[in-house]
Amino acid sequence: MSNISSYKDLLIWQKGIVLVVRVYQLVKTFPQEELYALTSQLKRAAISIPSNISEGYGRNTDKSFSHFIDIARGSLCELETQLIIAKELDFVTNLDLYQEIMNLITEESKMINSFSKSLK
């Protein structure tokens, strides 16, 4: 962790921010009745990814950082599951954006796993 000057330098944090933005774009077209249900859950799961990465970095120990990276990984899996549910319920109208998000999730998952191994 000593060679990282800021959590903002981490590609996993940067990609997490991109995921948040894309998820917000996707859910704009979801049914209004889902605003406080699946829409809200998707936003919270997405926001949790870069938030936990930055919080873990701020704890200033590899052990804490590793713990928060694990939480971010869990949020990423939660996000993926919720997106699959949204698609199955026909809430997803922009399939290109959906696929972009799913590709970002796959990429982010690989990067988080790799980064997590480097901390242990």
Side-chain angles (χ1 to χ4, degrees), residues 33-79:
E33 66 267 14
E34 285 301 314
L35 185 60
Y36 299 107
L38 193 54
T39 300
S40 178
Q41 285 289 114
L42 279 158
K43 289 177 176 180
R44 285 192 308 233
I47 289 168
S48 179
I49 298 162
S51 297
N52 276 293
I53 292 166
S54 62
E55 184 174 357
Y57 177 86
R59 297 294 174 112
N60 214 24
T61 68
D62 283 351
K63 185 176 180 182
S64 268
F65 201 6
S66 180
H67 173 71
F68 280 90
I69 294 295
D70 288 343
I71 294 170
R73 182 189 298 115
S75 295
L76 188 65
C77 292
E78 180 182 359
L79 175 63

Side-chain angles (χ1 to χ4, degrees), residues 55-116:
E55 184 174 357
Y57 177 86
R59 297 294 174 112
N60 214 24
T61 68
D62 283 351
K63 185 176 180 182
S64 268
F65 201 6
S66 180
H67 173 71
F68 280 90
I69 294 295
D70 288 343
I71 294 170
R73 182 189 298 115
S75 295
L76 188 65
C77 292
E78 180 182 359
L79 175 63
E80 182 178 33
T81 297
Q82 292 165 356
L83 284 166
I84 292 167
I85 292 167
K87 186 172 182 288
E88 291 295 316
L89 292 170
D90 293 324
F91 294 165
V92 175
T93 58
N94 186 335
L95 293 178
D96 290 337
L97 182 55
Y98 172 83
Q99 193 55 57
E100 179 188 349
I101 293 168
M102 295 305 273
N103 291 342
L104 282 167
I105 287 171
T106 299
E107 186 179 355
E108 180 82 340
S109 178
K110 290 175 184 176
M111 291 169 38
I112 285 176
N113 288 337
S114 178
F115 187 76
S116 179

